[in-house]
Amino acid sequence: MDWIFVLEVLVVLGAIVMGTRASGVGVGVWGGVGTFVLVFVFGEAPGEPPADAIAIILAVVTAAALMQAAGGIDWMVAMAARVIEKRPRQITFLAPLTAFFFSVGAGTGNIIYPLLPVIYDVSYRNNIRPSRPLTVTVVQSGIALAASPVSAAMAAMLTLTDVAPYNLGLGAILAITFPSCIIGIFVTSLVVHD
């Protein structure tokens, strides 16, 4: 029985390696090949499709597309640029914090991409090494997903923690993750600040 488990692990790892080599659509194709082998060769029962996570991802992508089409992202970038340009010496703190709130509201870290040129420009014009605010901003975009009530990461966290013995609902999780993320951003900004 142990050797079957080892073979199944090798199938999963092989599918991951082949998927990363193929990239793009190949990731999904090799994931499907690996699942096919596990189900039809090893007789593993297929799991339920992650319908909740897929619905959240579709909702986030649709909302981001509508926001882009309506000019909302351009407006958000203009507002962020105003905030950042008002206090350029504080860019190492303000840029990641502004991008954090954008990421939390959108449920995706991809919302920060239009902000990166603004952060670079303001840093460069004020003789601040652009890598400092950019690094913290990019890192926080991943951290923000733990504090976003509309992210797929939060949906996954809720399915794991909204059961006994944890019984942590959305409010309890946000009460932990949101302040933790803010504190983490400030501490990281202090470390990389001039």
Side-chain angles (χ1 to χ4, degrees), residues 50 52-58 60 103-104 106-109 140-162 168-170 173-174 177 181:
D52 292 342
I54 291 170
I56 289 171
I57 292 167
L58 285 174
V60 167
S103 297
V104 165
T108 177
Q140 73 68 37
S141 70
I143 294 170
L145 301 181
S148 174
V150 295
S151 70
M154 183 60 74
M157 198 178 318
L158 277 171
T159 60
L160 295 173
T161 60
D162 201 13
L168 292 173
L170 180 63
I173 292 172
L174 289 176
T177 59
C181 290

Side-chain angles (χ1 to χ4, degrees), residues 71-116:
I73 292 179
D74 295 335
W75 179 81
M76 287 172 48
V77 170
M79 292 298 109
R82 255 195 248 164
V83 168
I84 293 168
E85 288 173 349
K86 191 178 273 189
R87 296 181 186 208
R89 300 303 305 166
Q90 310 302 316
I91 192 167
T92 309
F93 297 104
L94 290 177
L97 201 56
T98 304
F100 171 78
F101 287 114
F102 283 9
S103 297
V104 165
T108 177
N110 296 337
I111 198 78
I112 69 160
Y113 294 136
L115 289 176
L116 298 179

